[in-house]
Amino acid sequence: MILESSRKRIRIGDLLVQHKLISEGQLNAALADQKTTGRKLGQVLIDNAYISEEKFMDFLSQQLDVPFIDLKQYKYQKNVVRLLPETLARRFRAIVLADRKTGLLVGMADPSDIFAYDDIHKILKRPISLALIREQDLLASMDVMYRKEEKITSLVEELDEELSETDIDLDDLAQSDDIENAPVVRLLQTIFEDALQVKASDIHIEPDEKVLRIRMRIDGVLNEQVMNEKRIVAALVSRLKLMSGLNISERRLPQDGRFHIKIKHHSIDVRLSTMPTQHGESVVMRLLDQSEGTLNLDDLGMNSDILDRFRKSIHRPHGLVLLTGPTGSGKTTTLYAALSELNSSEKKIITAEDPVEYRLERISQVQINAKIGLTFSSVLRTALRQDPDIILIGEMRDAETADIAVRSAMTGHMVLSTLHTNDAISSVYRLQDMGIEGYLIATSLQAIVAQRLVRRICNDCKTEHHLDEHEMSWLQGAVSESLSSNHFFQGTGCHHCNNTGYKGRQGVHEILEINEQLADAFRHGDAKDFVQKARHAPGYIPLVNSALDLAKQGITSIEEVLRLAGTIEEHEEADEYQDSEATEKTTT
């Protein structure tokens, strides 16, 4: 129930002046700013630093005689929140926070809005009491609070019913004339909308023996929704194959495709892969949001020293620059950011990619198609006759491609490419395995950048974390420094981060520039000597140390540092074994 005095529109600016929280001049300036920008007066006052947000919220709460609730710390219930439909919640800037015996507690960004209050009261048909909330907190958490999980389940059940009513040909259903109203199409649309809301990078549709699993990769971790209607899988897969231009009758062999969709003003490229499994065809879709555009180098999260050295390497007139890391570590994103910086009317840039992920203006991008003989090596031979200044190779997969890339770098071209190795130093083993002569690498290679992704701590539930004995001893042994004076943080989990404690990811990088000593080690083919010299090269900071710096800054957690360090340690053990094998063969 809202007080009658609060139902009169409050002139909050006048009240703030009366209580000497702002001056008359500040109010007039804010009102003028409000007219030009259209923002709310309170937000203008806070943005212009005329009053702190905390003081403003406390004052507004007192004047309206309603409590202030911090959504960042509030533990809500989804079934209660959804008593108010999403469209109305966004329109009224409101959320149902609690269901009490006396009625519903509703949080509003503007509790003095009597028209919104009356409409909410009519819709909910229950007594309501109001609370004040921050508008930006509400908007930031809206996508998470109104996930499409229930709608997906409902559409799955609808599609399952349609399949069970009569003997429907799945291919006919997938090609239904009434496409917009077809349950399978509405289901896919809802799945994509949900993935966009939570910023998922991949969607997995997996048939199991008795259930259907739809999993979305969010910040590198899969989130699962399980449904009993397994029989709808064939209809989903057939529709996706049609959208990708694939053969819907072929269910025995894997297929790869691609299609483009628009969702809520976002232009999404979808890369699709199907694979026959024991219980049906499994589908994985990689989502690329083209509307966000490519990042520039300043947005990658590299520390200033590594960024300056990387820029220096790619702006050289010729040479080879490699990006290394496992699948999903963000190598392609970094390459596109580098291309965006190098792209100008004075330079001819040609790329050979599989697949082409982002379309870039003024750049000649070639999609590899091995089935018709359009391989990396064949594209590169042709590209060299096209008078390029810069060549990008999506990945050096074989000896022939690597040899052409190295020789191109020696003949006046800047070549950018990727390798699947775990860190910069271990790239020497990969290049040796591909049979590249040491003197060619020494002459052409300029720098190797290794990249990994760690999860960022959610700022809405970040709390201080005290290292336990295991963490302390392990880290001291790994980085050889005392960490007792440092403060570390972790996320406790909240609705903003799906109770994971993490929200978003951050790149971790290391760079190894090839100096004369390292080039000599390459020329002599001495991998062990190269590794020893590389670890002591000027300015070389290992990935673990870079990740630890992020933890010290409160960007990521010690848990993520340990996870990163564990995978690198395993790989180094494999490298040591490989090196000992090579040494044994040489002496034999």
Side-chain angles (χ1 to χ4, degrees), residues 312-323:
K312 179 182 174 184
S313 298
I314 64 173
H315 280 285
R316 285 176 175 151
H318 57 83
L320 174 64
V321 175
L322 293 176
L323 267 85

Side-chain angles (χ1 to χ4, degrees), residues 11-183:
R11 293 177 62 85
I12 193 65
D14 294 335
L15 289 173
L16 288 168
V17 173
Q18 288 175 21
H19 287 76
K20 297 182 179 179
L21 293 174
I22 62 172
S23 67
E24 189 76 39
Q26 288 174 331
L27 174 60
N28 292 333
L31 288 170
D33 195 348
Q34 183 189 28
K35 286 181 181 178
T36 57
T37 63
R39 291 178 297 164
K40 291 188 176 181
L41 180 62
Q43 195 60 50
V44 174
L45 292 169
I46 293 168
D47 291 345
N48 291 350
Y50 295 151
I51 187 172
S52 69
E53 184 178 42
E54 185 179 358
K55 279 187 178 181
F56 180 79
M57 287 295 173
D58 286 343
F59 179 77
L60 195 58
S61 174
Q62 292 172 16
Q63 293 300 314
L64 296 173
D65 194 24
V66 296
F68 169 71
I69 292 179
D70 187 352
L71 285 185
K72 292 179 180 179
Q73 307 298 327
Y74 193 83
K75 301 292 183 182
Y76 70 93
Q77 295 176 302
K78 287 185 179 180
N79 60 324
V80 173
V81 169
R82 290 172 181 172
L83 291 173
L84 186 65
E86 180 181 2
T87 54
L88 299 177
R90 290 184 184 276
R91 184 198 306 170
F92 298 136
R93 296 294 192 262
I95 176 177
V96 183
L97 296 171
D99 188 351
R100 300 167 173 171
K101 291 181 180 179
T102 56
L104 299 173
L105 175 63
V106 177
M108 291 184 67
D110 183 6
S112 67
D113 188 340
I114 59 176
F115 301 107
Y117 169 83
D118 288 338
D119 286 343
I120 292 171
H121 188 271
K122 290 175 184 176
I123 293 163
L124 295 176
K125 298 177 182 177
R126 295 272 302 277
I128 63 174
S129 56
L130 296 182
L132 174 66
I133 58 174
R134 294 188 191 93
E135 183 175 359
Q136 60 266 38
D137 290 347
L138 174 65
L139 295 176
S141 57
M142 197 75 79
D143 286 343
V144 177
M145 291 189 290
Y146 286 97
R147 287 285 304 272
K148 307 290 185 184
E149 292 170 338
E150 291 182 3
K151 188 176 180 181
I152 290 173
T153 302
S154 174
L155 287 167
V156 165
E157 292 172 353
E158 182 183 340
L159 180 56
D160 187 59
E161 281 182 22
E162 183 163 331
L163 289 172
S164 61
E165 284 176 1
T166 55
D167 294 331
I168 296 176
D169 188 299
L170 292 176
D171 295 341
D172 289 343
L173 177 64
Q175 302 178 70
S176 171
D177 292 331
D178 190 10
I179 288 180
E180 290 186 3
N181 296 318

